[in-house]
Every structure is written in C-alpha cells, then in structure tokens.
Amino acid sequence: MKNIKYIFRIFGVIGIIMIASFLNKKIQLSSLSESCLTESFNKEFIPLEKLNLNTEYNFSKIFNCTEWDEVFIVQAPYINRAFIYIQSGVLLPEYDYINSSENNHFVFFINNGHIINKPIIFGGPYFLFSNNFNRSNYLKIEKENANFIYKKYEDSYYGMVTLELIEND
C-alpha cells in the first residue's frame, strides 16, 4: 500500500512540473511579436524565387540580430501542437496551421527553450524541405548546425527545389 502512495506522489509531482512548464511556455508565447529575425528571414528568403541555386545559407551568420540557439521548422498542415510539445518540449504558438498550404513550412527561432518569434511562413508549390523530419513533421536544429544549401530536388521531374541541411563532418 505504501508503494502505491509513493507512485501517486511521484506522478503528482511530475504532473505539477509538466503543468508549470506548460504554463510558463504559454505565458512566454503570449508576448511574441514581429522581430528582427522575422524581418531578416523575409528579406533573405521571401519570395523563394529570388534565391540562387547551389548557394549555401548559414543561418547563424544571416540571423545575428538577436540571441537564439536553435531553429525549429514544422511542415504544414500536419501539425499537432500537443505531440510536438510532448516530443520536443517546444510549445508552438496558437495559429491556424491546418488551413495552411501543404507546401508551407513554419520557421521558429528558439532561445533557452522558448520560441522568440511569431510563425514565419516559408515555402511554395515547388518547394520541399528534404531533411530528416520526424513522425511529427518537425526539424529542430542547433544554431551551429543550421547550414543549408538551396538546390534542385534530386528525385523530382517537376523542377522542385529544396533547402537541404548540410551535414557537418
């Protein structure tokens, strides 16, 4: 009987910690605004057609106007905020993800485990992120590894392009 009490206490403490963490992240999300990261991203990557093929883009050098330590990319419209939060610890801001185009991706910058910008919508009808998205359709990359190359997608007959992660050796 004592073991059952201890188990309930442990689950209670874990539950309280998870709720406190969730509420803390929810409060932080309420203060998101357009940031210099959003402006820099839009200036560099929007519209997608202005990017040059076979050009490398080092996010840590491009986006240096404020502190951030990870970039988080989510594929629309298959976004389940709860699963992403449970798997990654990242709480996405509320947004109408489900009505986004299937070709869109949402880019977020993270600092100290918290998203610091509003959703940046990126992509287009002939664009595909050809990176290692997991089952929940997200990619979380540390700042020092956020190096991409913009190139033609190799397995496409339709002229698709991709922003592919450059693997560090």
Side-chain angles (χ1 to χ4, degrees), residues 73-79 95-106 121-122 133 136-137:
I73 303 167
V74 186
Q75 184 180 6
Y78 311 109
I79 296 173
Y95 189 83
D96 188 12
Y97 299 103
I98 196 74
N99 287 320
S100 297
S101 169
E102 198 168 326
N103 302 310
N104 284 339
H105 297 78
F106 291 89
I121 301 172
F122 178 65
F133 280 95
S136 295
N137 291 325

Coordinates of all heavy atoms in Angstrom, one line a residue, residues 73-79 95-106 121-122 133 136-137:
I73 N 11.7 24.0 -37.5 CA 10.9 24.0 -38.7 C 9.9 23.0 -38.7 O 10.1 21.8 -38.4 CB 11.9 23.8 -39.9 CG1 13.0 24.8 -39.9 CG2 11.1 23.9 -41.2 CD1 14.2 24.5 -40.8
V74 N 8.6 23.4 -39.0 CA 7.5 22.5 -38.9 C 6.8 22.5 -40.3 O 6.6 23.6 -40.9 CB 6.5 22.9 -37.9 CG1 5.4 21.9 -37.7 CG2 7.2 23.2 -36.5
Q75 N 6.4 21.3 -40.8 CA 5.7 21.2 -42.0 C 4.2 21.3 -41.9 O 3.6 20.7 -41.0 CB 6.1 19.8 -42.7 CG 5.5 19.7 -44.1 CD 5.9 18.3 -44.6 OE1 6.4 17.5 -44.0 NE2 5.5 18.1 -45.9
A76 N 3.6 22.2 -42.7 CA 2.2 22.4 -42.6 C 1.5 21.4 -43.6 O 2.1 21.0 -44.5 CB 1.8 23.8 -43.0
P77 N 0.3 21.1 -43.4 CA -0.7 21.5 -42.4 C -0.7 20.4 -41.3 O -1.5 20.5 -40.4 CB -2.0 21.6 -43.1 CG -1.9 20.5 -44.1 CD -0.5 20.5 -44.6
Y78 N 0.2 19.4 -41.3 CA 0.1 18.3 -40.4 C 0.8 18.6 -39.1 O 1.8 18.0 -38.8 CB 0.7 17.1 -41.1 CG 0.2 16.8 -42.5 CD1 1.0 17.1 -43.6 CD2 -1.1 16.5 -42.7 CE1 0.5 16.9 -44.9 CE2 -1.6 16.3 -44.0 CZ -0.8 16.5 -45.0 OH -1.3 16.3 -46.3
I79 N 0.3 19.5 -38.4 CA 0.9 20.0 -37.1 C 0.0 19.6 -36.0 O -1.2 20.0 -35.9 CB 1.2 21.5 -37.2 CG1 2.2 21.8 -38.3 CG2 1.7 22.0 -35.8 CD1 2.4 23.3 -38.5
Y95 N -2.1 29.1 -33.8 CA -2.1 29.6 -35.2 C -3.0 28.6 -36.0 O -3.2 27.4 -35.6 CB -0.7 29.6 -35.8 CG -0.6 30.3 -37.1 CD1 -0.5 31.7 -37.2 CD2 -0.6 29.5 -38.3 CE1 -0.4 32.3 -38.4 CE2 -0.5 30.2 -39.5 CZ -0.4 31.5 -39.6 OH -0.3 32.1 -40.8
D96 N -3.6 29.1 -37.1 CA -4.4 28.2 -37.9 C -3.6 27.4 -38.8 O -3.5 27.6 -40.0 CB -5.4 29.1 -38.6 CG -6.5 28.2 -39.4 OD1 -6.6 27.0 -39.1 OD2 -7.2 28.8 -40.2
Y97 N -2.8 26.4 -38.3 CA -1.9 25.6 -39.1 C -2.6 24.7 -40.1 O -2.1 24.5 -41.2 CB -1.0 24.7 -38.2 CG -0.1 25.5 -37.2 CD1 -0.5 25.6 -35.9 CD2 1.0 26.1 -37.6 CE1 0.3 26.3 -35.0 CE2 1.8 26.8 -36.7 CZ 1.5 26.9 -35.4 OH 2.3 27.6 -34.5
I98 N -3.7 24.2 -39.7 CA -4.5 23.2 -40.5 C -4.9 23.8 -41.9 O -5.0 23.1 -42.8 CB -5.7 22.6 -39.7 CG1 -6.1 21.3 -40.4 CG2 -6.8 23.6 -39.6 CD1 -5.2 20.2 -40.2
N99 N -5.2 25.1 -41.9 CA -5.6 25.7 -43.2 C -4.4 26.3 -44.0 O -4.7 27.0 -45.0 CB -6.6 26.8 -42.9 CG -8.0 26.2 -42.5 OD1 -8.4 25.2 -43.0 ND2 -8.6 26.8 -41.5
S100 N -3.2 25.9 -43.6 CA -2.1 26.3 -44.4 C -1.8 25.4 -45.6 O -2.2 24.2 -45.5 CB -0.8 26.3 -43.5 OG -0.9 27.3 -42.5
S101 N -1.2 25.9 -46.6 CA -0.9 25.0 -47.8 C 0.0 23.9 -47.4 O 0.9 24.1 -46.5 CB -0.3 25.9 -48.8 OG 0.3 25.1 -49.9
E102 N -0.1 22.8 -48.0 CA 0.7 21.6 -47.8 C 2.2 21.9 -48.1 O 3.1 21.2 -47.7 CB 0.2 20.4 -48.6 CG 0.7 19.1 -48.1 CD -0.1 18.0 -48.7 OE1 -1.3 18.1 -49.0 OE2 0.5 16.9 -48.9
N103 N 2.4 22.9 -48.9 CA 3.8 23.2 -49.4 C 4.5 24.2 -48.4 O 5.6 24.6 -48.7 CB 3.7 23.8 -50.8 CG 3.1 22.8 -51.7 OD1 3.5 21.7 -51.8 ND2 2.1 23.3 -52.5
N104 N 3.8 24.6 -47.4 CA 4.4 25.6 -46.5 C 5.1 25.0 -45.3 O 4.7 23.9 -44.9 CB 3.3 26.6 -46.0 CG 2.9 27.6 -47.0 OD1 3.6 27.9 -47.9 ND2 1.7 28.1 -46.8
H105 N 6.0 25.7 -44.8 CA 6.7 25.3 -43.6 C 6.7 26.5 -42.7 O 6.7 27.6 -43.1 CB 8.2 24.9 -43.9 CG 8.2 23.7 -44.8 ND1 8.0 23.8 -46.1 CD2 8.5 22.4 -44.5 CE1 8.2 22.6 -46.6 NE2 8.4 21.7 -45.7
F106 N 6.7 26.2 -41.4 CA 6.8 27.3 -40.4 C 8.1 27.3 -39.7 O 8.6 26.2 -39.3 CB 5.7 27.1 -39.3 CG 4.3 27.4 -39.9 CD1 3.6 26.3 -40.4 CD2 3.7 28.6 -39.9 CE1 2.3 26.5 -41.0 CE2 2.5 28.8 -40.4 CZ 1.8 27.8 -40.9
I121 N 6.1 32.0 -42.3 CA 5.7 31.0 -43.3 C 6.7 31.0 -44.4 O 7.0 32.1 -45.0 CB 4.3 31.4 -43.8 CG1 3.3 31.4 -42.6 CG2 3.8 30.4 -44.8 CD1 1.9 31.9 -42.9
F122 N 7.1 29.8 -44.8 CA 8.1 29.7 -45.9 C 7.8 28.5 -46.8 O 7.4 27.5 -46.3 CB 9.4 29.5 -45.2 CG 10.6 29.3 -46.1 CD1 11.0 30.3 -46.9 CD2 11.3 28.1 -46.1 CE1 12.1 30.1 -47.8 CE2 12.4 27.9 -46.9 CZ 12.8 28.9 -47.8
F133 N 12.8 15.1 -41.3 CA 11.6 15.4 -40.5 C 11.3 14.1 -39.8 O 11.4 13.0 -40.3 CB 10.4 15.9 -41.3 CG 10.5 17.3 -41.6 CD1 11.0 17.7 -42.9 CD2 10.1 18.3 -40.8 CE1 11.1 19.1 -43.2 CE2 10.2 19.7 -41.1 CZ 10.7 20.0 -42.3
S136 N 6.4 13.6 -36.4 CA 5.6 14.8 -36.1 C 5.8 15.9 -37.0 O 5.4 17.0 -36.8 CB 5.7 15.2 -34.7 OG 5.3 14.2 -33.8
N137 N 6.6 15.7 -38.1 CA 6.8 16.7 -39.2 C 7.5 17.9 -38.7 O 7.2 19.0 -39.0 CB 5.6 17.0 -39.9 CG 5.1 15.9 -40.7 OD1 5.8 15.2 -41.3 ND2 3.7 15.8 -40.8

